[in-house]
Amino acid sequence: MNVDTGLTAMKADPHFLWLGAGVGGVLVVASIIGAVLAATVTTEKGKGTVANLNARTRAWWIMVLVFGGALMGGRMTVVVLFGLLSWLGLREFLTLTPTRRGDHRALFWAFFVITPAQYYFVGVEWYGMFSIFVPVWAFLFLPVRAAMAGDCDHFLERASKTQWGLMACVYCLSYAPALLSLPIAGYEGHNAKLLVFLVAITQMSDVLQYVWGKSIGRHKVAPKVSPGKTWEGLIGGVLTASALGASLWWATPFKPWQAGLIALAITIAGFFGGLVMSAIKRDRGVKDYGVLIEGHGGVMDRMDSLVFAAPVFFHIVRFWWT
Amino acid sequence: MLSKYLIIGLVRTLTGVRARWREGAEPSLAQRIYFANHTSNLDAVVIWASLPTELRRKTRPVAAHDYWTKGIVRPYLAKHVFNVVLIERKNVTVKNNPLTPMLAALDAGSSLIIFPEGGRMAGGGLGEFKSGIHHLATKRPGVELVPVWIDNVNRVLPKGEFLPVPMLGSVTIGAPMTLLAEETKDGFLTRARTALAELGGIES
């Protein structure tokens, strides 16, 4: 596909202005609410919640600026940004996962060869390769490297953990920048809006689930895995995020009802992603994957829903729209 | 100068490490001996890189002469980047007593990073302390001794490996201690070792 991406394309398309204004508006409102709450809440517990809320909002500003900046830089900048996020995510994931001396060389390959290669294939728009590289080639190669090191203890567990980390943090996440390469008839040069749609819906779904859960949440969905998640939060968040998706149809190649249904699929996949990644954290006895993003935790704490939603969204669009 | 920041950047990229100061421990320009558990060749570099700039400037890792004088890269790094205090590990005689260069560095006003177990431990445990730390505490009683627990850095560069992989590690710094009046050598070594083990949350 040889179409302008980045700032040139964005300037020519007023939709970006509206999307940008929408995101900026939400953040301004969130910052104002945060400031008002900080000035009015008096209980100790309330103060803690508000401080965390404001830290999250500040981090949101930074994340939105970084993501927006990458979009302006064009497709390659977006690929590089997601490549870095995958790398940092894999670092968090494998830190939590006990590996042994015999895995060292395999891990070196995972970080310095397989991750860059996956994003290289996304970068050169080689669908036939990037869509099978980790599930086929890395899957076959990495255990061989670990076996050659000669340590057979817990071999299957160790091989599975490395593969799982690569699948979640690298392979699944790389579907997000790959959206920019989908050839959709009549939508050429507009693909960046698909990525904005995906990221906005997954992230807003997380935020809305949190807001609904904090306000009316009573019944826990999976108290052992994720004590913060409630049915009220889940249903309220999923429905409002899907409605938001439907209302953004004008920026996508979808009709409003299609945009709503796809947003529903994205939010449910995102919820599952959060649940599964939480189960891994509980198994390892930690609350967060890291400390990189103030108020949110690590990169994987923020990306968990996107990891599951990106491939689902990509294949829905690829199957029915290309 | 440039290579210094490159190394610090590289270490932070690989380990994400930032010094965590425990309650009672604060960054201070007072002269100190940081003593740490030892599991990886990167340990000294990681502690050094995680210190605030002002403190890092006056802090020198103490390391084995035989390791840091091999090849071309290591001697360059030892001299121009980390300003390592090189000590003899293998042929200890009266002439090359490992304490002499450490005391000289302390007298020149530097702080030191030492590994009182005397070598890298396999597994996550903490070995017995050698007596060197006690000699330093006796001979320079004005210097604060600060326990430092390093976690997970051995997975970045395990013993015998050459290429590092990224793994999040941590450096936890505890409250300073000094030799008490009339404390025995064994009493002091046990107390220092217990302080470090507590910092790491392991049985001493």
Side-chain angles (χ1 to χ4, degrees), chain A residues 87-88 90-92 94-99 101 104-105 107-109 111-112 289-292, chain B residues 12-16 18 152 154-169:
Chain A
W87 200 85
L88 293 172
L90 189 64
R91 188 178 74 169
E92 288 172 356
L94 289 175
T95 297
L96 282 191
T97 317
T99 53
R101 269 290 305 285
H104 190 79
R105 299 287 168 90
L107 293 178
F108 183 84
W109 276 84
F111 278 105
F112 293 107
Y289 276 100
V291 292
L292 207 62
Chain B
R12 291 202 175 158
T13 310
L14 286 173
T15 66
R18 267 179 283 183
N152 220 23
N154 57 327
R155 291 176 68 198
V156 175
L157 189 67
K159 212 168 178 171
E161 291 289 345
F162 172 67
L163 294 165
V165 303
M167 285 285 161
L168 295 171

Side-chain angles (χ1 to χ4, degrees), chain A residues 9 39 42 53 73 126 129 152 180 186 203 216 234 242 249 272 275 302 309:
Chain A
T42 46
L53 184 78
W126 185 1
M129 191 47 131
C152 305
L180 300 182
Q203 303 301 327
I216 58 162
L234 171 61
S242 303
W249 95 95
F272 290 160
L275 203 62
R302 196 59 277 139

Side-chain angles (χ1 to χ4, degrees), chain A:
Chain A
M1 210 176 49
N2 196 9
V3 185
D4 267 349
T5 54
L7 196 56
T8 334
M10 290 163 86
K11 272 184 184 161
D13 184 351
H15 285 169
F16 276 107
L17 199 63
W18 301 344
L19 288 171
V23 174
V26 169
L27 283 178
V28 168
V29 170
S31 301
I32 292 172
I33 293 175
V36 171
L37 284 176
T40 49
V41 169
T42 46
T43 61
E44 277 309 308
K45 188 167 171 274
K47 273 186 183 166
T49 309
V50 172
N52 178 262
L53 184 78
N54 284 327
R56 281 172 184 247
T57 311
R58 274 196 303 279
W60 272 121
W61 276 107
I62 296 168
M63 289 188 278
V64 163
L65 288 176
V66 169
F67 182 55
L71 283 173
M72 285 184 204
R75 197 174 65 84
M76 279 305 169
T77 324
V78 175
V79 172
V80 170
L81 173 68
F82 276 91
L84 286 173
L85 291 173
S86 278
W87 200 85
L88 293 172
L90 189 64
R91 188 178 74 169
E92 288 172 356
F93 188 94
L94 289 175
T95 297
L96 282 191
T97 317
T99 53
R100 295 161 61 96
R101 269 290 305 285
D103 299 314
H104 190 79
R105 299 287 168 90
L107 293 178
F108 183 84
W109 276 84
F111 278 105
F112 293 107
V113 180
I114 291 166
T115 305
Q118 171 70 11
Y119 278 87
Y120 170 77
F121 298 136
V122 171
V124 297
E125 311 190 304
W126 185 1
Y127 175 78
M129 191 47 131
F130 92 70
S131 63
I132 63 153
F133 183 60
V134 175
V136 176
W137 298 111
F139 174 76
L140 296 177
F141 172 77
L142 276 180
V144 176
R145 196 65 200 80
M148 276 159 65
D151 179 0
C152 305
D153 279 359
H154 302 282
F155 185 82
L156 185 57
E157 274 175 66
R158 289 155 45 209
S160 316
K161 283 165 183 166
T162 315
Q163 182 68 16
W164 220 96
L166 274 174
M167 285 298 289
C169 308
V170 180
Y171 176 73
C172 287
L173 196 59
S174 73
Y175 271 105
L179 284 169
L180 300 182
S181 305
L182 277 177
I184 302 166
Y187 195 67
E188 291 85 358
H190 293 263
N191 284 32
K193 287 182 289 186
L194 279 181
L195 181 56
V196 175
F197 182 80
L198 168 71
V199 173
I201 300 300
T202 47
Q203 303 301 327
M204 279 310 287
S205 171
D206 285 359
V207 172
L208 289 167
Q209 285 178 42
Y210 171 87
V211 172
W212 281 101
K214 282 271 170 205
S215 6
I216 58 162
R218 292 279 179 283
H219 306 88
K220 296 194 188 308
V221 177
K224 274 191 187 152
V225 177
S226 204
K229 286 188 167 58
T230 59
W231 280 108
E232 291 82 353
L234 171 61
I235 294 166
V238 163
L239 289 183
T240 38
S242 303
L244 176 74
S247 73
L248 288 175
W249 95 95
W250 45 268
T252 68
F254 321 131
K255 299 189 175 73
W257 67 270
Q258 293 169 329
L261 275 183
I262 291 175
L264 183 67
I266 291 176
T267 50
I268 291 173
F271 172 78
F272 290 160
L275 203 62
V276 170
M277 299 310 272
S278 280
I280 294 172
K281 287 189 278 191
R282 296 294 169 271
D283 178 32
R284 304 303 319 147
V286 297
K287 195 181 146 289
D288 289 326
Y289 276 100
V291 292
L292 207 62
I293 314 175
E294 197 198 351
H296 295 261
V299 172
M300 282 317 284
D301 295 297
R302 196 59 277 139
M303 293 291 178
D304 51 5
S305 43
L306 198 57
V307 161
F308 273 50
V312 170
F313 181 57
F314 180 96
H315 284 298
I316 288 176
V317 178
R318 184 169 183 278
F319 188 77
W320 276 293
W321 274 270
T322 67

